[in-house]
Amino acid sequence: MSLGLEQMTPCFQGLLPSMFFTCAKDGTPNAAFLSHVDYVDATHVALSFQFFNKSRRNVAENPQAMIRVIDPDTNQGYMMRLKFERSETSGPLFDRMFLRIEAIASYAGLKGIFKLKAADIYLVESIELVPEEVGRQERWSPPGRRHLDPVFTMKALQELSGRMNSAGTLNELLESILSGIKEYFGFSHSMILLAGEKPNTLITIASRGYPQGGVGSEVQFGEGVIGVVAEAQQPIRISSLVRGMLFALAAKKRAEERGWRPQEQVKLPGLENPASQLGVPLVVRGELIGVLCIESKTPYRFHEDDKNTIEMLGASLAIAIQNMQLKEAREEPSAVPAAPRPAGNGKTRHGKHELTYYASDEVVMLDGEYLIRSLPARILWRLLQTHKREGRAEFTNRELRLDKTLGLPDFKDNLETRLLLLRRRLDEKSHDIRIVPVGRGRFALDIHCAIELVEK
Amino acid sequence: MLDQPLTEFLERGLAIHIGTRNEALRPNGCRVTAVRVEDQGRNLVAFLPKAADAAVIADLKSNGQAAISFARPTDDRAVQVKGEFLSMRDATADEEKFVLGQWQALLTELDMIGLAALTSTSTWLMWPCVAVKIRVTAVFSQTPGPEAGAVLS
């Protein structure tokens, strides 16, 4: 039996709060707000069980319930007659709901207290229109069927794929992905994070649409949408982050009043207050390459209908990025520089900059401000010292790979990715010190200032 | 039962719903446009849209049990009032400004969290209303979190 739940997926994005009506065995009614109702199948919905409450006790004694949801596309309200069937504490549905709540909890510093205990499954016995919440009619054609307007169409995927195929370097590939996401999918804010040097970390390698690029910012597995996507290797789509956060923060306030100390709220790269977020794991043969994160200031930007194409997008991006990483790592350096040498190297001086390397922390600071850490910091320091000592400005990837002092891993060193990160970070932070590719497997340090190197 | 701070909270323009049940313990419910606390907090008047599900009024007349849930969208502070049906009448023209004033305050709250465009109520039928008088029997916190369900009054 199909009740039309399939056409009501916009109601299940958590954009507008839902109402849940139950009744105790003694006849006392109960009315409670819900943050989210999940679509299960054509005849079932799921409610998240996070805190013990009266509604849950009621359905245990009297399984009859009613729920009211609103279609954010039309504002039409619906009331559904429900019958409680069962609770699930594992499985794909539980995992999907768990991940969404986990992502919000980590933003709010609420991991552990704001978590899914169970997914409660209800049979939907009937659906009726809410008579006082009459919807707009213009989004309905024919009556009862919603216009589908998925963002991630096959056509857009094909166009993005075409653009990616013309990229010759990892840098060009990442640029083509982010510019394609803006041009073909219409999202102005996106970033790609790749696996970091440290285990269970991701590092922003490319971003688009942010006032400060954020290249080099780290995300731990399990932190926010990006970290939870990485940990679970599953895509997460949050249509109403604002509402989810308000719900979580209300719970946090109550918990704090009881003496519970929350974790520090995590500052993550991206928009300050995104309304919609999509995290796509980039996975090749079970290995996480990175995460694509797309954000929007508009709520409900990602439709249910986009789910399958989003997964395809993740798979194709992951393969393309990994192939490019492998290609660049295998390339022999060109015999002579293909590009003209940069004009800088101290000849055109724009003042003086101090670079300080903190060896114990493996961090390079530029004029007292954080520039970069870990392997890219070690590489930069090695380049700067060589430049100072020998006056040399050109380097090859191979010589870095052979330099044991850099501590590159023997297997999958991701040197080209780290160099790209360093290059992008310098572009963001300094116009006077840059890294410029000058041919296959070759690059030059392009310095337009006097520099002072300090090691601490 | 409803002290002054709670009265001010309930009347400030919140998302309000009333829940009832029929003789077979099947729940019913509808939106409430506004409320007014009366008789030193012992009773409240809930203004229900006349367009709302007739089952709610039928339930109130038959068994009188009611649960009214209030939530402030900007911080999810929520309260539930349990009560018993006392009487009902048509809301008067004099009450329209008071009732729709609360409704407008709710829309302003929703606007603050970016939902105004999505909750444009030009097609929602929030007036005219019936005024349902309820005797307050209990008040509970419903703010999400470990204290949800605590007795307030």
Side-chain angles (χ1 to χ4, degrees), chain B residues 101-128:
Chain B
Q102 273 191 30
W103 183 249
Q104 189 54 50
L106 169 64
L107 298 185
T108 304
E109 280 269 325
L110 293 171
D111 189 30
M112 289 165 70
I113 56 169
L115 295 181
L118 296 156
T119 55
S120 153
T121 52
S122 58
T123 52
W124 284 14
L125 308 173
M126 304 313 295
W127 182 265

Side-chain angles (χ1 to χ4, degrees), chain A residues 110-228:
Chain A
L110 273 171
K111 271 195 155 188
I113 192 161
F114 193 73
K115 64 187 289 188
L116 186 68
K117 289 188 170 74
D120 292 342
I121 316 293
Y122 290 81
L123 171 69
V124 181
E125 295 182 319
S126 67
I127 304 171
E128 298 164 51
L129 297 176
V130 169
E132 74 270 26
E133 292 172 359
V134 180
R136 297 185 299 263
Q137 294 303 308
E138 61 266 31
R139 293 275 292 175
W140 293 73
S141 175
R145 282 196 66 84
R146 175 181 161 259
H147 273 307
L148 301 178
D149 50 354
V151 177
F152 294 86
T153 61
M154 286 306 292
K155 182 172 180 291
L157 274 181
Q158 284 167 349
E159 286 173 331
L160 176 64
S161 180
R163 179 173 289 203
M164 285 160 53
N165 283 339
S166 63
T169 65
L170 182 60
N171 187 40
E172 289 171 8
L173 177 65
L174 296 172
E175 278 305 310
S176 71
I177 292 168
L178 297 185
S179 64
I181 283 169
K182 182 172 192 300
E183 195 169 322
Y184 304 128
F185 302 103
F187 292 105
S188 301
H189 306 283
S190 58
M191 59 187 133
I192 295 172
L193 297 93
L194 297 181
E197 190 187 349
K198 288 182 282 183
N200 300 331
T201 60
L202 295 166
I203 194 153
T204 310
I205 187 79
S207 67
R208 195 177 180 95
Y210 302 100
Q212 290 203 323
V215 167
S217 52
E218 283 187 0
V219 175
Q220 303 291 322
F221 277 29
E223 285 181 353
V225 166
I226 294 165
V228 173

Side-chain angles (χ1 to χ4, degrees), chain A residues 100-114 222-225 241-253 255-256 260-268:
Chain A
R100 188 187 61 240
I101 289 168
E102 192 78 347
I104 290 168
S106 81
Y107 270 124
L110 273 171
K111 271 195 155 188
I113 192 161
F114 193 73
E223 285 181 353
V225 166
L241 198 55
V242 175
R243 272 219 49 74
M245 282 295 286
L246 287 171
F247 189 77
L249 292 172
K252 181 181 183 180
K253 193 175 170 197
E256 284 173 331
W260 179 80
R261 290 188 62 187
Q263 306 100 335
E264 193 179 336
Q265 251 175 278
V266 179
K267 179 81 183 82
L268 298 170

Side-chain angles (χ1 to χ4, degrees), chain B residues 73-112:
Chain B
T74 46
D75 64 0
D76 272 331
R77 180 184 170 191
V79 168
Q80 181 173 214
V81 172
K82 303 277 193 190
E84 290 172 355
F85 173 73
L86 293 174
S87 63
M88 65 172 286
R89 59 173 173 78
D90 282 350
T92 65
D94 292 347
E95 290 170 315
E96 181 177 356
K97 190 177 172 190
F98 168 82
V99 170
L100 293 183
Q102 273 191 30
W103 183 249
Q104 189 54 50
L106 169 64
L107 298 185
T108 304
E109 280 269 325
L110 293 171
D111 189 30
M112 289 165 70

Side-chain angles (χ1 to χ4, degrees), chain A residues 15-17 19 21-33 51-54 58 62 64-66 68 70-77 79 81 113-114 128 131-136 240 242-243 246-255 257-258 299-300, chain B residues 15-22 24-32 49 51-55 63 65-71 73-78 80 82 110 113-115 117-126 141-148 150 152:
Chain A
L15 200 59
L16 300 170
M19 277 307 293
F21 300 96
T22 59
C23 180
K25 204 174 173 182
D26 70 0
T28 307
N30 199 75
F33 288 88
F51 304 104
F52 287 100
N53 56 37
K54 184 65 180 160
N58 284 354
N62 170 18
Q64 302 180 95
M66 189 181 85
R68 285 169 55 125
I70 302 166
D71 184 331
D73 285 342
T74 65
N75 287 353
Q76 177 65 57
M79 48 186 174
R81 298 278 172 198
I113 192 161
F114 193 73
E128 298 164 51
E132 74 270 26
E133 292 172 359
V134 180
R136 297 185 299 263
S240 179
V242 175
R243 272 219 49 74
L246 287 171
F247 189 77
L249 292 172
K252 181 181 183 180
K253 193 175 170 197
R254 301 301 304 217
E257 285 166 7
R258 294 180 72 188
Y300 181 42
Chain B
I16 313 170
H17 286 79
I18 184 168
T20 61
R21 55 91 179 171
N22 68 9
L25 303 188
R26 192 171 86 154
N28 288 303
C30 72
R31 197 174 276 277
V32 176
D53 187 5
N63 62 67
Q65 297 281 307
I68 307 174
S69 197
F70 302 78
T74 46
D75 64 0
D76 272 331
R77 180 184 170 191
Q80 181 173 214
K82 303 277 193 190
L110 293 171
I113 56 169
L115 295 181
L118 296 156
T119 55
S120 153
T121 52
S122 58
T123 52
W124 284 14
L125 308 173
M126 304 313 295
S141 167
Q142 269 192 328
T143 305
E147 290 282 312
L152 292 179

